Amino acid sequence: MADSPNPSSGDLPAGSGGSPEKPVLADRRVAALAGAGAGARYKAMSPARLPISREPCLTIPAGFSPGALLDSPVLLNNFKVEPSPTTGTLSMAAIINKSTHLDILPSPRDRSAGSGHEDEDSRDFEFKPHLSCQPAGPAVNDPNHHDTSMQNHTSSSSNLMTENKSLYSQESIHQTANISSVPNQPVAIVGPSDNMPADVGTSEMNQMNSSENAAQETQTENIAEKSAEDGYNWRKYGQKHVKGSENPRSYYKCTHPNCEVKKLLERSLDGQITEVVYKGIHNHPKPQPNRRLSAGAVPSSQGEERYDGAAPVEDKPSNIYPNLCNQVHSAGMIEPVPGPASDDDGDGGGGRPYPGDDANEDDDLDSKRRKMESAGIDAALMGKPNREPRVVVQTVSEVDILDDGYRWRKYGQKVVKGNPNPRSVLILIINFTLLCLPLFCLSGILREFESLSLVTLFRL
DNA sequence: ATTCTTTGACCTACC
DNA sequence: AGGTAGGTCAAAGAA
Ligand SMILES: [Zn+2]
């Protein structure tokens, strides 16, 4: 309303600006219709197969490179967190929840997702902690720090991320965006934004936190450029002025044949990347360096991209992102769709290599985003003069990964002796559908989830 | 010729 | 219902 000063593209009534540049445009409308309307199509199909919220987004603040996350062995995904104590432990969890309610739907994925409310949206999540890029820093996350005791909560949600409580516990449920940290820092995401199966090591995340800006400082503008280069090839398919921001947003799509991953890039007038949002997960490995053509970045640089000093992490399947330096925001989840990701290779390493592929992924990103904005997140972030670039990666949530057709809710967390993982954090998840059952029954249905190792145990 | 970018119009969701 | 915003399409142009 009334604002949008200059739409870089799009919607303005043709009459006004009078830029007859492209007179032709006969009705695309027609074409679109004929084609089944592309635009809408994307969203239209996604919804819902799973009751679970799809759209997890991780927002990684500038400086943070997605690549690290991508490669990391651990699962970080789900950010949809509900305000639960357990999760709450994780400070982050709280952050976002604009929509924190997990819908409790008893529904095995088979079921059509007909129930309307399921879509709700995503619980967006944001980490505000400043993540540092250093790979091996003193992990802040001490198992001990976290509450390891079992906590019961009725409304806790399940997010692995939760462990990162180390992040800022202060963050309250409201996502007050805080981009603290380094001003003007160009995005550091150099890494592959390959949103892999979503696993991000919590440990890494924590580390990042701890080290904080250390790495950030070293980053230079080049980084910004690199952030755009994440190892994948992208095709720009649109650009638009976004309301709360001066910066135009560019839309990119992964050029890989069956890959539906999209990337939104916002750059400030001076060329710095202010925000990067990845939607979806690549269902293919990163293209060879020499073949890559980066998208947000300058075409000329083809193939040169090196993922920044971030260390040699890159192509390892185990690492999800090269480094995390700034903030990370996560938002709902994407679809689990195990499907046949039929795609080529797919070797990603462990279990679910490259999800996605079905194009279901994003559907409600919009709404989510809007909500976020309305919530003031973006506004806050953007409003700041020195806003750090953020990177958002929508990944598959843990739920998705563990998707067994049921929805699970975390209701407790504790340290287990003997647990191979240093962190020893167990997340117990119980199927919603079982809630109605007598306790004695429930006890048998616990699902234990070791967040670090992604090991899941079913006690049936 | 091929590939990528630009950009106004279109579409859908949301308010 | 109408308006707005965000996302997408696809013709046209550029490289
Ligand atoms: Zn891809």
Side-chain angles (χ1 to χ4, degrees):
Chain A
M1 320 189 157
D3 40 13
S4 27
N6 55 14
S8 54
S9 65
D11 297 341
L12 297 185
S16 56
S19 33
E21 317 161 333
K22 301 190 172 178
V24 180
L25 302 183
D27 285 357
R28 286 154 177 202
R29 188 186 316 194
V30 174
L33 292 178
R41 157 182 22 167
Y42 199 93
K43 296 174 180 179
M45 26 173 89
S46 23
R49 308 177 171 165
L50 294 182
I52 302 170
S53 61
R54 12 189 147 74
E55 316 188 31
C57 295
L58 243 190
T59 304
I60 301 167
F64 164 76
S65 54
L69 293 178
L70 294 178
D71 294 345
S72 108
V74 183
L75 179 38
L76 169 100
N77 9 348
N78 30 326
F79 302 90
K80 23 179 171 185
V81 179
E82 281 191 350
S84 72
T86 39
T87 50
T89 38
L90 341 170
S91 30
M92 4 176 26
I95 314 176
I96 307 187
N97 14 316
K98 330 175 150 206
S99 41
T100 28
H101 43 348
L102 251 194
D103 344 344
I104 301 177
L105 283 188
S107 56
R109 107 177 71 161
D110 307 346
R111 277 184 172 206
S112 52
S115 40
H117 63 294
E118 41 191 36
D119 330 330
E120 301 192 344
D121 26 108
S122 44
R123 324 101 223 246
D124 308 338
F125 176 151
E126 277 182 31
F127 295 46
K128 299 181 163 201
H130 310 283
L131 303 175
S132 68
C133 301
Q134 298 181 345
V140 174
N141 39 336
D142 255 0
N144 297 337
H145 283 141
H146 309 295
D147 356 338
T148 53
S149 58
M150 245 316 236
Q151 303 171 351
N152 288 331
H153 294 288
T154 54
S155 64
S156 58
S157 68
S158 61
N159 284 342
L160 293 182
M161 289 292 291
T162 53
E163 301 177 4
N164 298 329
K165 19 178 138 180
S166 53
L167 297 183
Y168 289 76
S169 53
Q170 356 182 7
E171 306 193 318
S172 56
I173 296 172
H174 301 293
Q175 45 287 36
T176 43
N178 27 354
I179 298 181
S180 38
S181 39
V182 193
N184 282 345
Q185 190 170 344
V187 175
I189 305 172
V190 183
S193 46
D194 39 322
N195 326 333
M196 295 201 27
D199 308 326
V200 175
T202 54
S203 63
E204 290 184 1
M205 294 295 283
N206 291 337
Q207 291 176 348
M208 297 188 263
N209 291 341
S210 64
S211 352
E212 295 235 299
N213 308 329
Q216 293 178 349
E217 296 178 355
T218 60
Q219 299 176 354
T220 61
E221 292 178 356
N222 292 337
I223 294 172
E225 297 281 326
K226 289 182 179 179
S227 64
E229 299 177 5
D230 48 22
Y232 288 90
N233 295 328
W234 303 92
R235 179 175 55 78
K236 184 174 181 178
Y237 65 88
Q239 181 174 320
K240 190 134 201 187
H241 173 266
V242 178
K243 189 172 180 187
S245 171
E246 306 179 335
N247 309 327
R249 177 178 295 172
S250 297
Y251 299 86
Y252 296 89
K253 187 178 292 184
C254 179
T255 59
H256 189 88
N258 297 318
C259 185
E260 293 293 323
V261 176
K262 292 177 184 173
K263 172 169 140 182
L264 284 63
L265 197 68
E266 270 186 37
R267 302 181 104 125
S268 60
L269 298 178
D270 59 356
Q272 288 190 347
I273 294 170
T274 58
E275 182 171 6
V276 178
V277 177
Y278 291 97
K279 295 180 180 181
I281 297 172
H282 292 277
N283 53 21
H284 58 92
K286 211 177 291 181
Q288 297 295 315
N290 51 8
R291 300 184 57 178
R292 286 187 265 152
L293 299 178
S294 67
V298 180
S300 62
S301 63
Q302 302 175 355
E304 61 185 344
E305 45 251 40
R306 201 354 321 101
Y307 305 128
D308 174 43
V313 199
E314 241 352 25
D315 292 329
K316 293 180 180 179
S318 61
N319 295 321
I320 291 180
Y321 295 90
N323 322 325
L324 296 178
C325 294
N326 292 328
Q327 305 171 306
V328 174
H329 298 272
S330 69
M333 9 191 33
I334 297 175
E335 286 200 337
V337 182
S342 56
D343 204 301
D344 24 319
D345 36 61
D347 47 26
R352 301 174 70 165
Y354 302 91
D357 211 357
D358 278 352
N360 292 335
E361 333 176 293
D362 15 43
D363 49 44
D364 350 40
L365 294 180
D366 293 354
S367 62
K368 171 178 58 180
R369 191 173 12 159
R370 289 177 185 173
K371 290 179 182 177
M372 289 179 68
E373 290 180 356
S374 63
I377 295 174
D378 278 359
L381 293 177
M382 302 207 152
K384 294 185 179 181
N386 294 338
R387 159 181 174 232
E388 295 178 356
R390 298 180 298 162
V391 174
V392 176
V393 177
Q394 295 179 346
T395 60
V396 176
S397 72
E398 142 191 317
V399 174
D400 291 340
I401 290 172
L402 296 179
D403 182 17
D404 55 5
Y406 291 92
R407 303 188 69 185
W408 301 84
R409 181 163 60 89
K410 177 181 175 182
Y411 70 92
Q413 179 174 310
K414 71 177 180 178
V415 173
V416 176
K417 236 176 174 185
N419 183 313
N421 287 306
R423 238 188 228 183
S424 301
V425 176
L426 282 178
I427 296 172
L428 303 178
I429 300 168
I430 187 167
N431 189 316
F432 286 133
T433 62
L434 298 176
L435 293 177
C436 58
L437 298 175
L439 293 176
F440 69 90
C441 292
L442 292 176
S443 64
I445 303 170
L446 298 177
R447 187 175 185 178
E448 293 184 354
F449 190 101
E450 209 296 314
S451 64
L452 291 178
S453 63
L454 292 180
V455 174
T456 60
L457 302 175
F458 289 86
R459 294 188 192 163
L460 296 175

